[in-house]
């Protein structure tokens, strides 16, 4: 994948966490156990196995791209 910022090659990998990865609006509150309408879940997994999201890393401009559409296919 080419970086959308600098157009150089990106490296494919995963981001891992013990908790659900979510995007939310700045300043909004999220209850860890309850999803809110404005929050977007970025990872897939379970409480036991942990969470992960496929991601692309650009080492040149220090950006990470996550395509969360793969969670719903």
């Amino acid at each position: 994948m080419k970086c959308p910022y600098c157009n150089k090659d990106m490296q494919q990998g995963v981001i891992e966490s013990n908790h659900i990865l979510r995007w939310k609006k700045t300043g909004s509150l999220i209850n860890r156990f309850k999803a809110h309408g404005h929050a977007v879940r970025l990872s897939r997994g379970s409480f036991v196995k942990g969470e992960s999201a496929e991601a692309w890393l650009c080492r040149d401009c220090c950006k990470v791209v996550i395509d969360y559409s793969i969670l719903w296919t």
Side-chain angles (χ1 to χ4, degrees):
M1 175 179 195
K2 294 289 186 185
C3 178
Y5 295 91
C6 70
N7 206 36
K8 294 185 180 178
D9 288 330
M10 299 183 85
Q11 184 177 4
Q12 186 177 12
V14 295
I15 295 175
E16 298 177 323
S17 175
N18 292 330
H19 303 285
I20 294 171
L21 298 172
R22 291 190 187 109
W23 173 92
K24 67 179 185 82
K25 294 188 303 185
T26 302
S28 61
L29 299 175
I30 290 183
N31 179 320
R32 181 190 305 185
F33 302 103
K34 182 179 178 184
H36 294 274
H38 63 270
V40 177
R41 186 172 179 166
L42 302 175
S43 61
R44 180 186 310 165
S46 70
F47 182 75
V48 176
K49 295 180 182 178
E51 297 280 325
S52 66
E54 183 177 326
W56 294 83
L57 173 73
C58 180
R59 294 186 184 272
D60 291 302
C61 67
C62 302
K63 303 289 187 201
V64 174
V65 175
I66 299 173
D67 180 2
Y68 68 91
S69 69
I70 63 170
L71 293 174
W72 317 116
T73 59

